[in-house]
Amino acid sequence: MAAPPLQPVPPPAAVNGDAFRVGFIGPGNLAESIARGVAASGVLPASAICTAPHRRPERGTAFASIGACLLDTNAQVVDDSDVIVISVKPQIVKQVLLELKPLLSDEKLLVSIAAGVKMKDLQDWSGQRRIIRVMPNTPSAVGQAASVMCLGEMATQKDENRVRSLFSAIGKVWTAEEKYFDAVTGLSGSGPAYIFLAIEAMADGGVAAGLPRDLALGLASQTVLGAATMVSETGKHPGQLKDQVTSPAGTTIAGVQELEKGAFRGTLISAVVAAAKRCRELS
């Protein structure tokens, strides 16, 4: 079985000429992030995006500010859309799909961003096989998501291209088999929390070393951002980049030695594995 690609695949240029309409069932924060990214990037005009904020008027205001179309019911969203994004909370996905089932057809592409809801359940509840499941993460709010998608048995290359174009508007996209999704949850799904802790701890270290709090936090967050960008853009192994900044008997190797004493790398590895295990238990 082939391993998932090591690098995200860029959206095909042909999608830019592919006109389609996308509807969100559940106008939550993540749905809004996707809609804003799609409209801002020019993947689709805002008028090609719709949702039905009938139970949450404030969410309607958010989508209206993008220029999206506001409809009265989810049934209207299904009827109006070529791509239907299921963006409700995981615990009500079954109820929503059972309600929409009579309205769905092979002409519609179903996309689920509900965490932990398996492809088999999506197929059973919707009666459809033309489905793509996507796992984005919270940095989607700032256009820096790490999203992974897997394709249902009837999803086409055109379907994949469309979904890739949508999620490339809020970050980077990989394709992988669904069997990897628990591990994806442990790494990129839960990973932002690990990095937030690291930034907080680095800032606290700066304060302990005598820096003002605002300066310490700014330096810590920018350092993490810069280091991540170096890994992403240079293609070099993180170990190689680490070696480039650790001079013999210097300051950095002294700090790295303390991290090794505290089992820093082993703890991060264990965190990813524990989160993946918990995801399997909950699914």
Side-chain angles (χ1 to χ4, degrees), residues 22-28 31 49-61 63-64 68-78 80-81 85 87-88 100:
V22 60
F24 291 89
I25 304 297
I49 302 169
C50 68
T51 191
H54 50 290
R55 295 175 183 171
R56 300 177 64 188
E58 74 283 1
R59 301 308 305 150
T61 301
F63 271 78
C69 301
L70 303 184
L71 303 176
D72 292 328
T73 66
N74 286 337
Q76 290 175 327
V77 172
V78 171
D80 190 66
S81 305
V85 181
S87 46
V88 297
L100 296 178

Side-chain angles (χ1 to χ4, degrees), residues 94-258:
K94 180 178 181 179
Q95 172 191 337
V96 169
L97 286 179
L98 289 176
E99 290 174 357
L100 296 178
K101 188 173 182 178
L103 309 173
L104 298 173
S105 70
D106 291 341
E107 296 178 356
K108 308 286 186 179
L109 170 62
L110 204 60
V111 177
S112 172
I113 59 173
V117 181
K118 304 290 188 184
M119 182 70 74
K120 183 181 184 304
D121 290 330
L122 295 170
Q123 293 173 341
D124 290 346
W125 299 336
S126 68
Q128 300 299 306
R129 293 293 182 271
R130 191 181 168 199
I131 301 175
I132 294 180
R133 180 184 171 195
V134 186
M135 176 99 187
N137 62 0
T138 54
S140 60
V142 292
Q144 294 295 331
S147 301
V148 181
M149 65 177 177
C150 69
L151 278 59
E153 59 192 57
M154 296 298 291
T156 66
Q157 182 65 56
K158 185 176 182 179
D159 293 337
E160 180 180 2
N161 291 347
R162 284 180 167 182
V163 173
R164 187 178 301 283
S165 73
L166 295 176
F167 286 86
S168 291
I170 58 165
K172 295 185 178 181
V173 186
W174 288 260
T175 300
E177 297 172 56
E178 190 178 38
K179 67 180 182 179
Y180 295 113
F181 268 45
D182 291 334
V184 167
T185 298
L187 180 53
S188 59
S190 301
Y194 315 152
I195 304 305
F196 296 148
L197 281 173
I199 292 172
E200 181 184 31
M202 288 173 65
D204 285 346
V207 172
L211 294 178
R213 170 65 64 180
D214 57 346
L215 177 58
L217 183 56
L219 289 174
S221 58
Q222 182 61 32
T223 297
V224 170
L225 175 61
T229 303
M230 287 184 71
V231 172
S232 179
E233 294 190 359
T234 67
K236 293 181 178 179
H237 190 279
Q240 182 182 359
L241 293 171
K242 180 263 296 178
D243 288 348
Q244 290 176 356
V245 74
T246 49
S247 304
T251 58
T252 304
I253 194 63
V256 169
Q257 183 178 16
E258 291 302 310

